[in-house]
Amino acid sequence: MYTNNYSNSVSTNSLYKVYSWMMVGLGITAITSALLYASGIFMLIIQIPMISLLLFIVQISLTISMGRQLSRNTPASKMKTMFIVYSLTMGINMTSLAYVYSAGQIAAAFGISAIYFACLAIIGKTTKMDLSKVGNICLIGLIAMIFSQFFFMLFRVSMDVRLWSVIGLLLFTGLTAWDIQKMNYMLNGYEDEKISIYMALQLYLDFLNIFLYILRLLGRRDD
């Protein structure tokens, strides 16, 4: 649990590294998706047996491994490589969005997400309220939502996509503000590049989830 009286001397350089790496990850994901879609290579990739499961396993493994590197005497370059690989694999996953939504919808969702995320970043950075309780509640809610969606799919129960999107967006609103507050505490007075990269991964995932829920709220293209 965090205390409210923390110093405002959070390393500007460390925060710059976090947001820079987050943007690098988003850039790699976007470029990968655009190239796979434009070249048609994505249609070949999805024909690979169990490709979705393989990508999921790789992403989970990378996330766990990056967390473990924080307590090990390993160079930051290793975490940078893992983060780049993670962004590439996520780019493969995100390519499918281009077949469901129009370019205008994707661009609009990204713009709205950027503004929304910036507002949450300001809240997480400036609020004096301890967001750990809010974050934990949102985390529990997210887990419950994931299990509920799995249950509905398993038993073929219809779901209201927009309703679930609103719920998901609200949950990640709390989680993102909490992650940003945690980042401020973790980097308070420190110049640990590995922590910066790990937090960049957390914020990268927060942003992508916010983007996905906002995109779903905009609706699929008609053509």
Side-chain angles (χ1 to χ4, degrees), residues 58-67 86 198 201-202 205:
V58 170
Q59 290 165 358
I60 290 296
S61 299
L62 287 171
T63 303
I64 295 174
S65 181
M66 287 183 70
Y86 190 99
Y198 182 76
L201 173 66
Q202 301 304 309
L205 291 174

Side-chain angles (χ1 to χ4, degrees), residues 95-193:
T95 307
S96 60
L97 297 177
Y99 295 90
V100 180
Y101 302 94
S102 67
Q105 288 174 320
I106 293 174
F110 186 88
I112 295 171
S113 300
I115 296 173
Y116 194 79
F117 184 90
C119 293
L120 293 176
I122 294 173
I123 293 172
K125 177 68 171 63
T126 60
T127 185
K128 300 301 181 181
M129 182 179 70
D130 181 10
L131 297 176
S132 58
K133 290 183 179 179
V134 174
N136 284 321
I137 292 173
C138 289
L139 182 60
I140 293 172
L142 179 62
I143 294 173
M145 187 180 76
I146 292 173
F147 275 104
S148 297
Q149 290 179 320
F150 176 76
F151 174 84
F152 288 153
M153 288 189 294
L154 183 64
F155 292 96
R156 300 182 182 278
V157 178
S158 60
M159 298 184 296
D160 188 323
V161 175
R162 294 195 176 227
L163 175 60
W164 283 109
S165 297
V166 170
I167 295 173
L169 183 59
L170 290 174
L171 292 175
F172 270 97
T173 296
L175 287 171
T176 300
W178 181 39
D179 281 340
I180 291 170
Q181 188 176 73
K182 282 194 301 182
M183 175 183 68
N184 286 298
Y185 282 107
M186 293 175 69
L187 295 176
N188 188 12
Y190 290 95
E191 289 287 344
D192 193 320
E193 193 169 18

